[in-house]
Amino acid sequence: MLSEISLQNPAIVRMLYWQLGITAGFAVIAGFISGEHGAVSAILGGLTNVFASLIYVFVANFGLIHSTGAGLWPILRAEIVKLVFIAVQLGVIIKFYDALVIPAMFTTFLVTLLAWRAALFARSNDGTKQNT
């Protein structure tokens, strides 16, 4: 299970596609509601998690390849790096984008954050259906 954290894993790729699709969908909705700045804010909120997910995959994969044991430290380190990366990205967005539509950004951010768990849950359900 731990060795499957890479971009060759269909569940990881599916999760990234879900996050990108959610980002695009929410950008369209926010664009209709709040105009151009709403769409840009939604895109920034969604891409925060897309980039954070990519960072997580690369850091976890690097740690798993170069670790001597099968411990959870590479995964924990990847999660810490992901959280720090998210905090920095959100801080930069809030500080430098003056026309930020905060509800659009945070709504897209939260939904794309939940997409990570939903994609993994869908993967576990796929395996259950095949075994029955």
Side-chain angles (χ1 to χ4, degrees):
M1 163 106 180
L2 293 179
S3 62
E4 295 179 10
I5 298 177
S6 72
L7 291 178
Q8 284 78 34
N9 184 335
I12 301 280
V13 173
R14 178 178 37 236
M15 178 268 310
L16 289 169
Y17 282 133
W18 282 18
Q19 287 181 329
L20 288 170
I22 290 166
T23 299
F26 274 68
V28 169
I29 294 168
F32 280 127
I33 295 171
S34 301
E36 177 184 342
H37 294 294
V40 171
S41 297
I43 290 169
L44 291 173
L47 288 181
T48 297
N49 277 319
V50 171
F51 292 139
S53 297
L54 287 170
I55 291 291
Y56 174 85
V57 168
F58 289 124
V59 171
N61 197 18
F62 181 80
L64 290 169
I65 290 172
H66 293 91
S67 69
T68 56
L72 292 178
W73 175 241
I75 304 302
L76 180 61
R77 180 176 37 220
E79 194 65 37
I80 291 169
V81 169
K82 176 184 168 184
L83 292 174
V84 169
F85 191 73
I86 287 172
V88 169
Q89 281 183 326
L90 290 177
V92 167
I93 291 168
I94 291 169
K95 178 152 179 76
F96 292 109
Y97 188 34
D98 293 331
L100 182 67
V101 180
I102 291 179
M105 184 196 68
F106 276 116
T107 301
T108 309
F109 170 77
L110 290 174
V111 173
T112 55
L113 183 64
L114 295 174
W116 174 272
R117 301 293 178 225
L120 295 178
F121 180 70
R123 171 68 177 134
S124 65
N125 281 346
D126 289 346
T128 306
K129 290 177 186 175
Q130 292 174 354
N131 291 335
T132 57

